[in-house]
Amino acid sequence: GKTASKSEGWTISGAIPFGKHTILASYSAYNDKSDFKGANGKNDRDGSLIGIAYIYKIYDNTALYANYGKQYNQRNASQSLGDASDLVGSLSRTGYDPSGFMMGLNTRF
């Protein structure tokens, strides 16, 4: 049989605050170690994700934000950009490299 759950991943991220501003960056990598082989006879299901964000603190409990993310997929990979509200959704096409941009206002009550 084929094993679909063998994988490993890692992320490195950081934030640079200065005054009312914060810049964040991250890089994640995913290594699929399953027995799956695509039409080309290779696994090719690895992926990586980069992200950058900017936050401007208006008040102690209110901030403007903008962020950008880009997913890089190998030929047989179909990783998507996901978040709690599923704005980007899932991918049905392998090898596609989706990207996304979001901006908004966060406030805490």
Side-chain angles (χ1 to χ4, degrees), residues 1-70:
K2 295 184 181 198
T3 303
S5 62
K6 292 167 79 176
S7 64
E8 64 184 26
W10 58 271
T11 299
I12 186 167
S13 61
I16 303 170
F18 52 101
K20 292 184 170 208
H21 312 271
T22 303
I23 295 176
L24 301 100
S26 67
Y27 177 82
S28 300
Y30 172 76
N31 182 3
D32 185 323
K33 295 182 170 193
S34 68
D35 296 334
F36 172 85
K37 300 287 188 244
N40 63 351
K42 297 180 181 178
N43 180 302
D44 287 343
R45 289 169 44 119
D46 297 347
S48 60
L49 173 66
I50 61 164
I52 189 160
Y54 170 75
I55 300 171
Y56 177 73
K57 189 175 182 182
I58 299 171
Y59 303 108
D60 284 341
N61 63 345
T62 307
L64 294 170
Y65 69 90
N67 57 36
Y68 172 80
K70 174 84 174 161

Side-chain angles (χ1 to χ4, degrees), residues 62-82:
T62 307
L64 294 170
Y65 69 90
N67 57 36
Y68 172 80
K70 174 84 174 161
Q71 173 70 44
Y72 296 95
N73 284 313
Q74 287 187 333
R75 181 180 180 165
N76 294 318
S78 59
Q79 305 300 322
S80 65
L81 297 172

